[in-house]
Amino acid sequence: MAMNIKRPNGTEDVLPKDVYKWHTIEKIARETAESFGFSEIRIPTFESTNLFLRSVGETTDVVQKEMYTVKAKETEFTLRPEGTAGTIRAMLQNGLLNEALPQKVYYMLSCFRHERPQAGRLREFHQFGIEMAGSAAPSADAEVIMLAKTLLDRLGLKNIELHINSIGCPSCRAKYHEALRAFFEPHKEELCDTCKERLVKNPMRILDCKSPICKEIGKDAPVILDYLCDECSEHFEKFQKYLSKFGIKFIVDPKIVRGLDYYTKSVFEFITTEIGAQGTVCAGGRYDGLIEQLGGQHTPALGFAMGFERLLLVMDKQGCDYLTPKKCDIYFATMGDAALEKAMELVKGLREYGYCAEYDLMGRGIKAQMKYANKIGAVYTMVLGDNELNDGKARLKEMESGEEKEMILNEKFTANFENEYFNKILDVMDDENGSMFAFAGEDK
Ligand code: ATP
Ligand code: MG
């Protein structure tokens, strides 16, 4: 009977043949974050719904339309739509903010949003993100951008523009909201239904609307930068100065207002035009009021998140390099029980040295075993049968060149194999690089 259960819309399977791409991002992201002094945090997949209502904000699309909320035995939970709220909740609950500041954490997690699935927009997607809590200084804003930029560069991404803006603090924003309301009021009837509501509750969000009509109307809307108070203005100036100092190019883009309510002052997006409409690969900003809003002491903070799936779309498109997936280093083709047992003994030693070693688990004949070794791309193979066991020797075959070498099946087998492997790598490098591998001080 054919299976008729399919994965839910907007979710993806990552198959073994592609997972090395994920490993590449995970490894480089981890190394980059740690080189900036960030440590990993892991948080639950679901939280009290209230956490997101109070942080992400009740007027946002995420809260109004996109949350997966489940009721389990009278208690309501929501699958996290993003990582910041849970991370800050965890920092507060575990007293991290009483320790040395700034607290710097990174995470890699899945997020859940009930959106219309399309390229680069899923219902379950994955983020790498960082949060830094405790610093109000504009140098922290620049540092966070530096981290994102370093990571994007190390992944090999090109043509990604950094757009920055400041959306001020609650005091400058109040004046700006008034100006926006006055601007949009005459066009009220033309706005989409969501924006009609935004006009009352949170007019700045109209600028983030994807509807072409709302976009067109918003083209000449007042710009927040003209409404910043002295402190926010100075913060934004310094932020830009530090970015320039780091040699990071940016575009001041007053249309960046961010989809979540908790942002203040600096907000930013890294955008590419190469993967269609969902071109924001990384987004973030400062959220100085959030920690207090969640019941902590006033603690300025900031962060960003990158979507794995969108990064992969761009990396594939641009032909970026991925880490090479691990292949079978040596496959033992066996004939008979005694040979099988010998193979089991040999793979044990090799695996302890870190090699990927395999042998027949299907009870196949030799020919079929060699075919399998070829399919999985084994670097070496070795046939073991009665003759080999009796002689205590077998031939190690390098699959690519077809070259064979006799090896003794004793306790030194693993060490000898390692020599063989190492020599092969040196040979290849020697061919490619000439004398590059001569040791220091040695005559070339
Ligand atoms: P967008 O404007 O694209 O909807 P957003 O403002 O909702 O983005 P954030 O909440 O800031 O996005 O999330 C940070 C990053 O996570 C985005 O820049 C994007 O790379 C990724 N992301 C967000 N939503 C999705 C999704 N539904 N599917 C895949 N990736 C997503
Ligand atoms: Mg969104």
Side-chain angles (χ1 to χ4, degrees):
M1 196 176 79
M3 190 183 78
N4 55 13
I5 304 173
K6 301 274 190 289
R7 61 169 186 266
N9 257 345
T11 64
E12 273 178 356
D13 300 311
V14 180
L15 301 180
K17 73 175 175 52
D18 294 319
V19 78
Y20 68 98
K21 297 183 177 180
W22 288 72
H23 291 164
T24 303
I25 302 185
E26 285 159 8
K27 181 165 189 286
I28 297 178
R30 196 166 253 127
E31 284 170 4
T32 305
E34 288 174 4
S35 73
F36 279 70
F38 284 69
S39 309
E40 185 172 357
I41 190 164
R42 298 192 185 189
I43 54 169
T45 308
F46 58 92
E47 301 267 1
S48 298
T49 302
N50 259 335
L51 175 67
F52 302 115
L53 299 186
R54 282 170 59 183
S55 54
V56 175
E58 306 209 20
T59 62
T60 59
D61 284 358
V62 169
V63 165
Q64 287 188 339
K65 304 188 227 158
E66 300 170 2
M67 293 207 304
Y68 281 93
T69 297
V70 286
K71 209 165 175 184
K73 301 215 189 285
E74 301 312 306
T75 318
E76 201 185 272
F77 295 106
T78 293
L79 299 184
R80 59 181 173 222
E82 50 97 60
T84 304
T87 300
I88 297 301
R89 197 262 319 125
M91 282 186 171
L92 283 168
Q93 188 168 354
N94 297 287
L96 299 192
L97 300 174
N98 306 324
E99 294 174 16
L101 297 179
Q103 281 290 309
K104 301 190 286 182
V105 298
Y106 73 90
Y107 51 77
M108 293 189 219
L109 41 74
S110 48
C111 299
F112 306 86
R113 298 185 193 177
H114 196 272
E115 309 202 63
R116 198 168 64 77
Q118 52 198 288
R121 195 178 289 293
L122 293 142
R123 290 183 173 168
E124 179 184 13
F125 62 98
H126 298 79
Q127 287 186 341
F128 163 78
I130 64 147
E131 313 294 345
M132 185 199 288
S135 172
S139 54
D141 305 46
E143 174 79 349
V144 157
I145 299 268
M146 180 68 164
L147 202 170
K149 170 82 173 118
T150 306
L151 174 53
L152 296 172
D153 286 348
R154 286 187 186 171
L155 292 173
L157 292 162
K158 299 198 179 57
N159 308 328
I160 310 262
E161 281 179 356
L162 168 61
H163 291 225
I164 64 168
N165 189 22
S166 172
I167 55 170
C169 60
S171 89
C172 27
R173 208 163 332 147
K175 275 184 255 152
Y176 180 55
H177 275 172
E178 261 174 52
L180 277 181
R181 283 203 186 93
F183 174 84
F184 282 113
E185 197 55 46
H187 305 279
K188 195 166 141 189
E189 293 316 312
E190 302 150 63
L191 294 173
C192 74
D193 287 347
T194 320
C195 284
K196 284 194 183 95
E197 212 176 299
R198 287 173 173 154
L199 186 57
V200 184
K201 294 188 180 154
N202 193 351
M204 201 171 68
R205 307 256 328 106
I206 300 175
L207 303 176
D208 202 28
C209 185
K210 306 259 171 359
S211 130
I213 299 174
C214 301
K215 265 199 172 133
E216 180 60 32
I217 300 173
K219 246 180 32 197
D220 302 317
V223 171
I224 177 87
L225 295 176
D226 296 333
Y227 292 80
L228 294 184
C229 65
D230 289 349
E231 192 207 321
C232 289
S233 207
E234 195 187 324
H235 187 101
F236 194 48
E237 288 302 318
K238 282 210 170 135
F239 171 39
Q240 294 177 67
K241 190 177 102 187
Y242 296 144
L243 286 182
S244 304
K245 191 134 210 129
F246 277 144
I248 297 177
K249 293 205 179 79
F250 57 87
I251 297 164
V252 175
D253 178 352
K255 289 280 169 334
I256 302 282
V257 294
R258 308 297 304 118
L260 315 180
D261 264 3
Y262 48 60
Y263 287 107
T264 51
K265 290 186 179 163
S266 316
V267 287
F268 58 85
E269 293 187 13
F270 285 88
I271 304 174
T272 164
T273 50
E274 293 180 25
I275 52 168
Q278 321 307 328
T280 302
V281 291
C282 171
R286 190 169 261 291
Y287 47 87
D288 288 347
L290 178 64
I291 295 178
E292 209 171 355
Q293 210 170 300
L294 292 177
Q297 287 184 353
H298 176 76
T299 313
L302 67 166
F304 68 71
M306 296 187 182
F308 269 76
E309 288 83 357
R310 289 193 200 170
L311 287 174
L312 287 169
L313 282 176
V314 195
M315 288 175 74
D316 278 344
K317 183 100 196 262
Q318 297 188 350
C320 295
D321 285 336
Y322 294 104
L323 298 174
T324 340
K326 182 94 186 123
K327 269 193 190 167
C328 175
D329 294 309
I330 176 164
Y331 180 88
F332 293 95
T334 59
M335 270 180 293
D337 256 6
L340 184 71
E341 283 175 28
K342 186 71 186 171
M344 288 174 168
E345 181 192 314
L346 294 174
V347 295
K348 187 162 180 278
L350 288 161
R351 288 169 182 168
E352 269 160 28
Y353 265 61
Y355 290 107
C356 170
E358 296 183 58
Y359 57 100
D360 175 52
L361 297 170
M362 299 287 291
R364 287 184 176 124
I366 281 289
K367 237 177 143 177
Q369 289 185 50
M370 291 306 282
K371 212 166 146 186
Y372 176 76
N374 234 327
K375 264 197 188 146
I376 62 172
V379 183
Y380 288 100
T381 54
M382 178 170 265
V383 176
L384 296 177
D386 288 345
N387 287 347
E388 283 76 11
L389 295 195
N390 288 337
D391 296 351
K393 288 187 266 180
R395 303 186 78 77
L396 179 71
K397 178 174 176 182
E398 207 220 310
M399 295 296 274
E400 204 179 296
S401 63
E403 270 171 38
E404 295 195 4
K405 181 165 182 176
E406 193 148 84
M407 303 266 291
I408 300 175
L409 301 173
N410 61 6
E411 65 287 347
K412 288 198 191 129
F413 181 83
T414 299
N416 288 338
F417 177 75
E418 177 142 279
N419 273 342
E420 204 50 44
Y421 212 117
F422 194 60
N423 283 339
K424 191 195 110 193
I425 292 170
L426 280 187
D427 274 355
V428 173
M429 289 184 166
D430 233 17
D431 283 354
E432 285 173 2
N433 303 318
S435 56
M436 202 177 114
F437 276 80
F439 290 102
E442 216 174 65
D443 283 342
K444 300 216 170 132

